[in-house]
Amino acid sequence: MPKYRRGCGSVYTKRGWCYIKYHVNREPVTESTGTKDKAEARRLLQVRLGQVAEGRFVGLTAERLTFEDLAKGLLDDYRANDRKTVSWVERRIHLHLAPFFRGRKAKEIATPTVTEYIARRQHAGAKNGTINLELAALKRMFSLAVQADYLAKRPYIPHLLENNVRQGFFEQQEFNAVLAHLPMYLRPVMTLAYQLGWRARSEILPLTWEQIDIQLGAVRLEVGSTKNRDGRLIYLPQYSRSVIEDQWRQHQDLHPECPYVFQRDGNRIRAYQRAWTKARRETGLLGKVPHDFGRTAVRNMVRAGIPERVAMQISGHKTRAIFDRYHVVSDQDLKEAAQRLDRMMIEPTATTLATIVHSEQLTH
C-alpha cells in the first residue's frame, strides 16, 4: 500500500472492500467507499480532503440522508411546535411529495429534480398556489437539515407565480340569504365571522366564557388559538356585542354547565361544513366560502373609516402584506370612487360657471 503524507489520509482494504481514513477537526473518520477499486477509493479520499479543507464537510450523514429522513424531521418539528397544519403536511407528503421523491438521497434532490416535480404536478392539474405550499414544506425540510448540520446547504427551490388568489366578497343581501338557510345554532357563529372577519373553526367555535367580559363587551383570543398564534383583546362593536349577549342569556337559561360560547344542545360545535354547503346550494351561492368573510370585514372596516392599524388588530392580520391581500378593491369600491370624484369636480365647476355668467350679466 502506498505511503501518504501525514494529514493526507489513507486507503486500506478489509475483506476485499476499500475504506478511507482521514481527520476532521483532529478527529479520525473512517468511511467505507462501497468499492473494491483502490483508484476509485483514492479519488473519494481526495474529494473528502477537499471538502474538509474548504469547510464544506458536514459529516457522513449528508451522504446517507434520504428524503424519508427529511420528511421525518419536518413532521417531528411540526409536532414539537404544536403546529395546527401537521395533518395537512402529512397528507401532502403521503399523496404527492413521497411518491415522487421516495428513496432519493437528499444530495440528489437538486433544482432540476424539483423542476421535474413541478411539471408533473402541473400536468396533474394542481394549481400553482397548491404546489407552492408543497414546495414550502420541501424547503423547510432542507432548512431543518442544514440547521442540524446534516447538510451544508439546501438546493434552490423556486416559487411559482400564483394567479388563483380568491377575491370574493359577501355582500349584505347575499349573507342574509345564506344566513336564513342555516340552522339556528350556526347563525350566531357566522354572524360574528361576517362582522369581524374571524375564522369560524379556529377562533370563534373554541371560544369559552372565560374569554368573555360581558360588562366590557370584550373578547380575549388566547395565544396559539389564532392563525398567526398571537393572542389579542378585542372590544366588540354593538352589533357583535349583542350576539354575545344573546348567547350569554341562552347559557344562563338553558346550558349553564357548557363552557363554550357557541354550542348545540349544550355541546361544543365542531363542524359546520355540511350545513354550510346545504345553505349555499339552496341560495344558489355555491361560490361563496367562509374565507370571504375576512375580505368583507376588512373592506367594511376601511369603508367605515376605521384606521387600518386598528382594522388589522380586529381582523387578526399580523403583517401589512397580508392585510393588503385581504383589502381587495371591489367593483363597487371603484364605482363609489368615481361618484365621489364626480361630485368633487362637478360642484366647483358649476359654481365657477355661475360666477362667470353672473359677472358677464353685470358687465352688460
Side-chain angles (χ1 to χ4, degrees):
M1 188 173 75
K3 298 288 185 180
Y4 291 88
R5 287 190 300 107
R6 183 177 179 83
C8 291
S10 60
V11 176
Y12 66 95
T13 59
K14 185 176 180 180
R15 297 189 182 90
W17 294 95
C18 294
Y19 290 77
I20 56 176
K21 186 175 181 179
Y22 49 95
H23 286 75
V24 179
N25 297 327
R26 298 185 179 182
E27 293 294 328
V29 176
T30 300
E31 179 181 351
S32 172
T33 64
T35 181
K36 296 182 178 181
D37 186 340
K38 289 186 177 181
E40 183 65 29
R42 293 189 188 101
R43 280 193 289 271
L44 178 59
L45 176 61
Q46 293 306 311
V47 170
R48 290 288 182 266
L49 293 174
Q51 291 174 339
V52 172
E54 296 173 7
R56 295 184 291 109
F57 181 80
V58 292
L60 299 182
T61 304
E63 297 297 317
R64 304 186 182 116
L65 200 68
T66 65
F67 170 78
E68 285 78 6
D69 297 323
L70 295 175
K72 182 179 182 300
L74 177 68
L75 293 175
D76 288 345
D77 177 74
Y78 267 58
R79 294 188 182 102
N81 290 286
D82 195 26
R83 297 283 295 274
K84 295 182 179 181
T85 53
V86 62
S87 59
W88 182 93
V89 172
E90 282 182 312
R91 289 197 301 273
R92 290 294 162 180
I93 292 174
H94 175 72
L95 294 174
H96 304 296
L97 291 168
F100 182 84
F101 292 106
R102 182 180 290 115
R104 298 177 190 255
K105 290 186 175 181
K107 66 178 184 178
E108 298 172 349
I109 303 176
T111 303
T113 315
V114 177
T115 303
E116 183 184 351
Y117 173 77
I118 292 171
R120 290 197 183 187
R121 291 290 286 128
Q122 289 175 331
H123 181 72
K127 295 189 179 296
N128 284 1
T130 301
I131 299 173
N132 277 336
L133 292 173
E134 295 163 7
L135 296 179
L138 190 63
K139 287 180 185 178
R140 181 61 179 163
M141 291 181 195
F142 277 98
S143 295
L144 291 170
V146 172
Q147 291 173 16
D149 289 333
Y150 294 154
L151 293 173
K153 62 179 183 179
R154 75 179 191 187
Y156 169 72
I157 299 176
H159 182 85
L160 305 179
L161 179 65
E162 297 183 31
N163 296 314
N164 59 334
V165 178
R166 290 186 54 86
Q167 297 187 358
F169 292 96
F170 244 118
E171 302 302 340
Q172 183 69 55
Q173 64 273 18
E174 295 173 331
F175 175 70
N176 290 342
V178 174
L179 193 68
H181 287 80
L182 286 174
M184 292 298 294
Y185 68 89
L186 274 182
R187 293 182 186 180
V189 176
M190 293 306 172
T191 298
L192 210 63
Y194 174 76
Q195 293 171 348
L196 301 176
W198 293 357
R199 297 165 185 84
R201 188 182 304 277
S202 61
E203 296 179 336
I204 298 178
L205 291 180
L207 281 176
T208 64
W209 289 113
E210 291 182 350
Q211 299 170 253
I212 307 295
D213 189 319
I214 293 293
Q215 291 184 341
L216 289 179
V219 179
R220 184 181 68 256
L221 296 179
E222 304 291 357
V223 174
S225 66
T226 63
K227 186 176 182 180
N228 59 32
R229 305 191 71 80
D230 287 345
R232 59 186 191 269
L233 176 67
I234 303 298
Y235 292 90
L236 298 173
Q238 185 55 49
Y239 52 76
S240 299
R241 188 171 180 173
S242 62
V243 172
I244 298 296
E245 289 172 348
D246 286 343
Q247 294 299 115
W248 175 247
R249 284 190 287 270
Q250 290 184 33
H251 168 72
Q252 290 182 308
D253 296 340
L254 301 176
H255 304 287
E257 76 288 348
C258 180
Y260 295 101
V261 177
F262 300 97
Q263 45 79 29
R264 182 185 184 186
D265 299 327
N267 298 308
R268 178 181 175 180
I269 304 170
R270 296 187 178 275
Y272 59 84
Q273 194 60 44
R274 184 176 298 178
W276 175 259
T277 301
K278 181 181 178 183
R280 288 187 306 157
R281 186 185 303 114
E282 291 174 346
T283 54
L285 297 170
L286 288 173
K288 300 296 182 181
V289 297
H291 213 63
D292 294 335
F293 291 151
R295 282 177 291 275
T296 304
V298 167
R299 181 197 63 180
N300 292 344
M301 283 187 273
V302 172
R303 281 181 174 180
I306 296 175
E308 292 186 356
R309 184 60 193 168
V310 178
M312 289 173 65
Q313 177 71 12
I314 294 173
S315 62
H317 296 104
K318 191 173 184 178
T319 66
R320 180 55 191 261
I322 297 299
F323 179 82
D324 287 342
R325 180 175 177 179
Y326 272 65
H327 183 206
V328 181
V329 178
S330 68
D331 288 341
Q332 186 61 35
D333 293 328
L334 297 175
K335 291 177 182 177
E336 290 181 3
Q339 292 168 359
R340 290 178 183 177
L341 187 59
D342 281 339
R343 289 194 295 270
M344 183 184 73
M345 298 297 292
I346 291 173
E347 291 174 4
T349 302
T351 302
T352 303
L353 289 174
T355 303
I356 293 172
V357 171
H358 180 66
S359 62
E360 288 180 351
Q361 290 174 346
L362 292 175
T363 304
H364 291 84

